[in-house]
Amino acid sequence: MSLTVCNVHLTPNSEKILYVSNSLLKQLKLAGKRSVRLRLGKTIIPASVRPIQKPGKHLYVTAGLRSAVRVPKSGSVFLLNEAEGDIHIGPLIGIMSDGTSRSSSAPFGSRTGFIRQILRTGNKKAYVFAFAPRDINWNNDTVLGYFLGPSGGWIRRTVPLPDVVYNRLPSRRAETSGSYNTLRERFTRKKIPFFNWSFFNKSDVYALLKNELEANQHVPESVMNPSSDTIRTMLERHQFAYYKPSGGSLGIGIYRLTYLPKKGFFARYTSNGKNVLLRFRSFSSLMRMLEARHGRSLRNYVIQQGVRLIEIDGCPIDFRFHMHKNGENKWAVVGVGAKKAGKGSVTTHVKNGGRLMTPSQALQRAFGERSDEVLDKARKIAIQLAEAIERNHPHLIGELGFDIGIDRDEQVWMFEANAKPGRSIFKHPSLKNEGQASIEHILDHCLYLSKFRRGEIT
């Protein structure tokens, strides 16, 4: 097996002939060969080969071949020679997403900018396109994809099923539909790597880490679908706890419950964009409020131990660790953002008044000269957590977002794990390079999964 980079040219000839420069023929050990198997994505066709006198590594694809294998455009791409007589160009990388408010200029709604970044970066060495589930034609195994044109506009091209799919479908509800389950199963049956499989619920993460003793020590005590007795016990044990929806995100629906023996019970939450603090003389009155708002069963909620986090100006600080698999299939911490809670807010989310900071800004205030050491420790623990989750998850994971807290004793806590993490931390001016590194890691892992592995380039 060998991997190289070559320039693909498209010619108007109607014949099905692949013209290959002499140096590339020699490298691929195809000298004297009259035919090869040309592959793009999941499509493989036979092609006649002709040498061409041109310095460098060049591949000329005639119109006859192009229409059969559906090469989307010319340019520099990888060429993988898996076996004698095989030429696999690409990889063909599919970014799957969708948007509720689509337009011709923003076909993936608010995620269009992010997808555009991936395509712009990836198209320097591969064929990268975006698509929605409705763009797949399973009858002929093709996808009507979105490619970036030379001027930055969108161009539609029909291409084969890709070598790998990066799943950024934004809707939890869509992921539970039968059609979506069928889509994933079809990709799996066709042996097309598909990551990330789905959103996590909080209960998923706790179950994945249940038997991972080293990793699980960094997860606060958490109970799914707690009874009122469990909630009371948790408050008596930890003084405060967080009551939050299992499938929630962005801090929506979270309560901070506090028990002060001489003052009673307190509930803090956000309603209509405003922070609310209620006091209850008895535990039963607190429970009546929760039941009135969420039903007597209190299902699909989790109660989680409260942790005294480091603070700045009396406001708790937590951290978002953005994790990626790299081109060597190893976990890496690519970006870390610190979030300072707004005054009186239950969470550190920016939409609830939180403020985004760099980790050094936050940790230096709390730990001074030891801030780098504390951050390095947290990075190592984040990698251990990612490895533990992956070990116990049945499907491919290539990206994770951890909500990490550090208490005053330097203990590191993981509150939540997100399989499709948001990218708000990369909006900080000091984290733009990390944002670009995140995109590079996505593409590198796509290369790894599609077997176009950079370590094997010749």
Side-chain angles (χ1 to χ4, degrees):
M1 179 186 292
S2 67
L3 181 67
T4 190
V5 176
C6 72
N7 288 302
V8 172
H9 308 267
L10 304 178
T11 72
N13 308 32
S14 60
E15 55 198 357
K16 291 187 177 181
I17 295 177
L18 192 65
Y19 292 92
V20 187
S21 62
N22 282 330
S23 61
L24 187 55
L25 271 176
K26 184 177 180 181
Q27 181 176 328
L28 299 176
K29 299 179 181 179
L30 295 176
K33 284 272 186 183
R34 293 196 170 191
S35 64
V36 294
R37 291 178 296 275
L38 179 64
R39 175 178 171 183
L40 175 67
K42 301 304 286 185
T43 294
I44 304 173
I45 63 167
S48 298
V49 175
R50 298 287 187 275
I52 187 170
Q53 294 291 338
K54 186 175 178 68
K57 301 174 184 179
H58 297 272
L59 209 62
Y60 288 81
V61 181
T62 60
L65 277 181
R66 182 187 183 186
S67 62
V69 79
R70 301 180 187 274
V71 178
K73 60 180 183 176
S74 59
S76 178
V77 295
F78 285 104
L79 190 155
L80 179 64
N81 181 214
E82 294 180 281
E84 185 178 346
D86 286 351
I87 292 181
H88 187 174
I89 57 174
L92 186 60
I93 298 172
I95 314 298
M96 189 175 78
S97 190
D98 211 340
T100 53
S101 55
R102 299 186 301 271
S103 67
S104 58
S105 60
F108 300 98
S110 61
R111 289 157 189 82
T112 301
F114 168 51
I115 291 171
R116 186 187 294 274
Q117 280 183 286
I118 299 177
L119 268 59
R120 187 182 295 122
T121 302
N123 281 336
K124 297 171 185 175
K125 290 288 176 65
Y127 295 122
V128 188
F129 70 97
F131 70 100
R134 62 182 170 276
D135 295 322
I136 305 171
N137 185 333
W138 293 107
N139 292 325
N140 59 12
D141 287 348
T142 60
V143 185
L144 179 58
Y146 289 84
F147 288 82
L148 276 184
S151 61
W154 295 105
I155 298 174
R156 305 300 301 272
R157 292 279 187 270
T158 298
V159 291
L161 291 177
D163 292 300
V164 59
V165 175
Y166 171 48
N167 174 24
R168 287 298 298 203
L169 200 67
S171 169
R172 285 177 180 267
R173 182 177 297 176
E175 284 195 344
T176 61
S177 68
S179 60
Y180 180 72
N181 289 330
T182 300
L183 178 148
R184 290 186 297 198
E185 290 167 3
R186 280 174 159 169
F187 278 122
T188 301
R189 284 200 302 270
K190 292 180 181 295
K191 298 182 179 179
I192 298 174
F194 182 95
F195 79 104
N196 297 324
W197 189 258
S198 65
F199 286 98
F200 288 154
N201 285 329
K202 294 174 179 63
S203 57
D204 298 333
V205 179
Y206 307 146
L208 292 170
L209 294 177
K210 181 175 62 175
N211 297 319
E212 294 281 346
L213 297 182
E214 187 173 352
N216 203 37
Q217 66 179 324
H218 299 289
V219 180
E221 182 183 3
S222 307
V223 180
M224 277 297 303
N225 302 323
S227 66
S228 59
D229 288 343
T230 300
I231 294 174
R232 181 162 196 157
T233 300
M234 189 81 82
L235 288 173
E236 290 173 347
R237 182 182 299 140
H238 301 294
Q239 195 174 50
F240 75 102
Y242 288 91
Y243 185 66
K244 47 192 179 181
S246 174
S249 61
L250 302 176
I252 297 170
I254 294 180
Y255 296 82
R256 174 176 163 138
L257 307 179
T258 304
Y259 171 51
L260 300 176
K262 295 183 179 180
K263 295 183 179 180
F265 297 86
F266 298 82
R268 188 183 293 276
Y269 60 95
T270 300
S271 178
N272 297 321
K274 295 183 179 180
N275 296 322
V276 178
L277 176 62
L278 301 178
R279 178 188 175 191
F280 303 88
R281 293 185 179 276
S282 66
F283 178 74
S284 59
S285 58
L286 167 65
M287 290 306 301
R288 281 196 295 272
M289 182 274 291
L290 292 176
E291 290 169 356
R293 291 176 65 88
H294 302 287
R296 293 186 62 84
S297 67
L298 298 178
R299 292 193 61 78
N300 300 319
Y301 261 74
V302 59
I303 188 77
Q304 187 174 76
Q305 164 193 349
V307 175
R308 297 287 179 190
L309 300 176
I310 58 172
E311 296 180 347
I312 293 178
D313 303 326
C315 299
I317 301 289
D318 68 12
F319 302 84
R320 165 55 63 93
F321 279 60
H322 204 110
M323 316 290 296
H324 281 286
K325 277 293 196 72
N326 61 21
E328 298 177 350
N329 204 32
K330 303 290 186 184
W331 283 105
V333 180
V334 176
V336 182
K339 296 176 291 178
K340 175 185 174 185
K343 285 287 185 182
S345 177
V346 181
T347 72
T348 60
H349 290 86
V350 175
K351 288 185 177 180
N352 293 335
R355 176 189 162 202
L356 187 60
M357 309 168 67
T358 66
S360 59
Q361 287 173 327
L363 291 171
Q364 283 174 3
R365 293 278 295 271
F367 299 109
E369 294 180 355
R370 300 195 62 257
S371 61
D372 287 345
E373 183 180 339
V374 173
L375 182 57
D376 286 343
K377 174 185 174 183
R379 285 176 179 273
K380 291 175 183 176
I381 290 170
I383 289 173
Q384 291 172 0
L385 287 162
E387 291 171 343
I389 288 173
E390 184 188 21
R391 268 195 300 273
N392 295 284
H393 196 274
H395 303 291
L396 290 175
I397 303 174
E399 181 180 24
L400 288 168
F402 288 136
D403 289 337
I404 296 281
I406 301 174
D407 67 22
R408 298 162 187 174
D409 298 321
E410 299 182 14
Q411 171 72 17
V412 177
W413 300 91
M414 190 273 287
F415 301 119
E416 292 188 19
N418 302 278
K420 297 183 186 179
R423 301 181 61 82
S424 61
I425 64 169
F426 300 127
K427 293 179 181 178
H428 193 286
S430 297
L431 294 173
K432 286 187 176 180
N433 288 340
E434 285 83 350
Q436 182 60 34
S438 167
I439 288 171
E440 295 280 1
H441 274 72
I442 292 167
L443 293 165
D444 283 349
H445 194 53
C446 286
L447 291 174
Y448 175 85
L449 291 175
S450 60
K451 299 182 180 179
F452 284 74
R453 294 168 187 172
R454 288 186 175 181
E456 299 166 2
I457 295 178
T458 58

